[in-house]
Amino acid sequence: MLLRRINRAARRLPFSLLLITATPFIIEAVIHIWRYQVPRPATELDAPFSTSCQEPDVAAERENAVIVMLARNNERQQAKKTIQSIEAQFNKWFNYPIMFLNDDAWNPRFVAELNETAGGKGIFEVIPKEHWTYPDWIDQDAAKNSIKQQGEAGAPHAGQEGYHHMCRFYSGKFYQLDVLKKYKWYWRVEPDVDFTCAITYDPFVQMAKRKKVYGFTIALWEVGKSCPGLFRATADWKESRGVVTSNLWSAMMEASWMPFPFRRFLSWVPHRDSYGDAWSLCHYWSNFEIADMDFFRSKAYQDYFDYLDKKGGFYNERWGDAAVHSLAIAMLADSQQVHHFEDIGYRHDTFYQCPVNAPGGQLPNSPSLAENKPWTPEEAGGIGCRCKCTGKEKLRNYGTYCLDKLKQPNTPKRGWFS
Ligand SMILES: *[C@@H]1O[C@H](CO)[C@@H](O)[C@H](O)[C@H]1NC(C)=O
């Protein structure tokens, strides 16, 4: 009897001991995760600029802005497609200049045809060589070798040398171009893009009025193997410069459940900071951007870019400008300075956003909108203006997980999962 009781107590002992020992670690982990929770506001802090069609106010004052496209001579058809689309849906009313950038000399046929498509508002510039090449401190043979290996390992575009120059250019050098100095705002477009709704107001004016610095349409996951070292370099820069953690930064993170002190060992894993917490890989898709160049020209941003550039990751890995811009916004901007253009229909590659049309908001008799016909049906809750969402481009946004994460600091709780 006694023996059996001792036996039973002995069997129970290790478990209670384990529990007593583990409790502080579990509590610490819970507190740690809790510290990364981002409160949702009571009201929407980033409402759409427009929730129906408007009569384009062609007499209104414009902002100091430019539409920019990086293109190659052999992308003439794809470039035309984008420019036809943005002209028809927006720029025929607002007449912003459209600047085309090339790392090579322009072909006269491209210039003539695209200037015509752009309604005579085309500006054609060549990027100075020093903005589109390896920096001095990069060992070019090693970099070329690495690019070859990255291509073989299959990260998208990572085997193309020009793509690496492009990512570096858009990450930092773009904002140093002399030809852009006189502008404050830019709208970035790419060859082969469709704008699927009419944009009947001036997004630059609205951005300025509401003190926004960065506007996007699509948020999604970065391809992890293209940039294993980017997040660690970013987090190290953030820490070394004493940048205060914002809600947007926390929303981009996935805090580790690993208890202290073991969490620190995770810092050796890609996409983690020196404490072992991870970046979710969520970012804004930068091939559509409407943004304030002064943000990216700021000392803080250029210091961040230089820091990344010195690390060599634009070549030894394939750090993308989308992730770089997004991480910088999360560090250096307030979440309320970021705008989601959920009313803009946009497609590039296989990714798209296409809003539902606003009920009763289509101005069917407007003469200025006469050409922007027909449109897909109106539905309750829609905010689109004459959106044409057909086939698989039908309605809604891509990658709701990242979109929800990045909008979290500005969006009140809705439904069960958001
Ligand atoms: C584009 O067309 C406009 C109007 O025809 C013309 O004034 C301008 O010089 C052209 N620009 C270029 C770069 O050809």
Side-chain angles (χ1 to χ4, degrees):
M1 187 71 188
L2 182 72
L3 216 71
R4 232 157 73 196
R5 222 188 276 167
I6 291 173
N7 196 357
R8 220 186 298 151
R11 254 190 285 142
R12 236 178 280 150
L13 188 68
F15 181 69
S16 30
L17 243 178
L18 191 74
L19 199 70
I20 291 166
T21 324
T23 300
F25 291 99
I26 294 171
I27 292 174
E28 193 277 338
V30 170
I31 292 172
H32 176 72
I33 298 279
W34 177 79
R35 282 179 46 234
Y36 278 87
Q37 292 307 300
V38 176
R40 289 200 178 255
T43 57
E44 172 74 53
L45 301 179
D46 177 43
F49 293 161
S50 174
T51 53
S52 66
C53 291
Q54 297 171 34
E55 225 25 88
D57 186 357
V58 297
E61 201 161 325
R62 306 289 193 269
E63 279 295 325
N64 180 14
V66 62
I67 296 166
V68 186
M69 178 192 284
L70 182 67
R72 297 209 154 93
N73 289 312
N74 63 11
E75 293 174 302
R76 195 179 74 252
Q77 293 303 339
Q78 296 95 314
K80 244 193 207 174
K81 181 175 173 175
T82 300
I83 300 306
Q84 275 162 355
S85 185
I86 199 168
E87 279 293 315
Q89 302 283 27
F90 166 73
N91 208 35
K92 67 178 174 199
W93 300 304
F94 295 95
N95 286 310
Y96 279 100
I98 303 181
M99 186 181 287
F100 297 87
L101 296 170
N102 192 346
D103 63 307
D104 204 357
W106 284 109
N107 168 330
R109 184 164 171 205
F110 187 108
V111 171
E113 289 188 21
L114 267 297
N115 190 34
E116 195 186 331
T117 310
K121 303 181 291 280
I123 302 165
F124 299 81
E125 299 289 353
V126 175
I127 298 163
K129 199 75 220 160
E130 70 269 22
H131 289 345
W132 194 275
T133 187
Y134 297 97
D136 306 337
W137 56 85
I138 290 277
D139 174 344
Q140 292 197 21
D141 292 333
K144 283 177 182 164
N145 216 351
S146 164
I147 288 169
K148 197 162 152 260
Q149 282 168 13
Q150 292 170 53
E152 284 157 8
H157 307 291
Q160 305 159 14
E161 187 180 33
Y163 199 87
H164 290 258
H165 291 320
M166 191 265 285
C167 289
R168 175 172 180 259
F169 170 74
Y170 262 136
S171 292
K173 298 292 172 184
F174 174 77
Y175 306 102
Q176 300 169 8
L177 286 180
D178 282 336
V179 291
L180 284 175
K181 286 231 163 87
K182 64 176 179 182
Y183 301 106
K184 178 175 169 68
W185 300 93
Y186 71 99
W187 182 338
R188 173 169 158 190
V189 297
E190 302 267 323
D192 187 27
V193 156
D194 288 312
F195 290 95
T196 51
C197 308
I199 302 157
T200 53
Y201 62 94
D202 185 335
F204 299 115
V205 168
Q206 294 304 319
M207 293 278 290
K209 192 171 137 194
R210 296 166 208 233
K211 302 195 163 50
K212 303 282 183 182
V213 297
Y214 192 80
F216 71 100
T217 51
I218 292 172
L220 36 58
W221 284 287
E222 178 57 295
V223 177
K225 67 178 165 187
S226 71
C227 58
L230 171 62
F231 181 71
R232 181 59 186 274
T234 300
D236 288 349
W237 179 84
K238 173 176 176 283
E239 180 144 337
S240 71
R241 302 303 192 267
V243 175
V244 177
T245 299
S246 67
N247 276 342
L248 194 50
W249 178 268
S250 299
M252 257 188 211
M253 297 280 290
E254 274 162 6
S256 171
W257 275 103
M258 184 69 84
F260 180 82
F262 308 105
R263 194 182 304 137
R264 284 230 175 202
F265 297 135
L266 290 176
S267 68
W268 294 98
V269 178
H271 315 301
R272 287 182 184 261
D273 63 20
S274 62
Y275 302 96
D277 294 303
W279 169 38
S280 64
L281 297 176
C282 287
H283 67 302
Y284 310 113
W285 212 32
S286 65
N287 49 67
F288 173 105
E289 283 178 329
I290 298 181
D292 181 349
M293 277 187 276
D294 290 340
F295 173 84
F296 294 100
R297 288 165 179 152
S298 68
K299 247 173 96 177
Y301 181 82
Q302 287 290 325
D303 181 61
Y304 169 54
F305 168 72
D306 287 340
Y307 183 89
L308 295 183
D309 204 18
K310 295 261 158 53
K311 294 269 175 197
F314 291 111
Y315 297 100
N316 302 328
E317 297 180 9
R318 202 230 69 195
W319 293 355
D321 51 277
V324 171
H325 289 183
S326 303
L327 290 165
I329 290 286
M331 288 189 287
L332 302 172
D334 187 274
S335 70
Q336 287 186 57
Q337 292 177 295
V338 180
H339 180 62
H340 178 220
F341 281 99
E342 59 182 298
D343 55 318
I344 290 188
Y346 178 76
R347 183 213 53 86
H348 181 50
D349 280 349
T350 50
F351 300 116
Y352 62 92
Q353 158 175 284
C354 201
V356 180
N357 283 319
Q362 304 303 311
L363 298 183
N365 301 319
S366 162
S368 18
L369 297 181
E371 289 166 34
N372 302 69
K373 276 184 196 176
W375 56 89
T376 35
E378 301 166 19
E379 269 177 53
I383 57 165
C385 171
R386 300 196 175 200
C387 301
K388 284 169 222 171
C389 307
T390 52
K392 70 180 177 48
E393 282 166 28
K394 228 175 143 191
L395 314 183
R396 293 304 171 205
N397 208 311
Y398 179 80
T400 49
Y401 174 83
C402 283
L403 187 66
D404 185 60
K405 276 282 174 199
L406 297 182
K407 287 179 71 169
Q408 199 173 334
N410 290 337
T411 324
K413 212 178 173 71
R414 284 192 292 229
W416 284 93
F417 296 106
S418 52

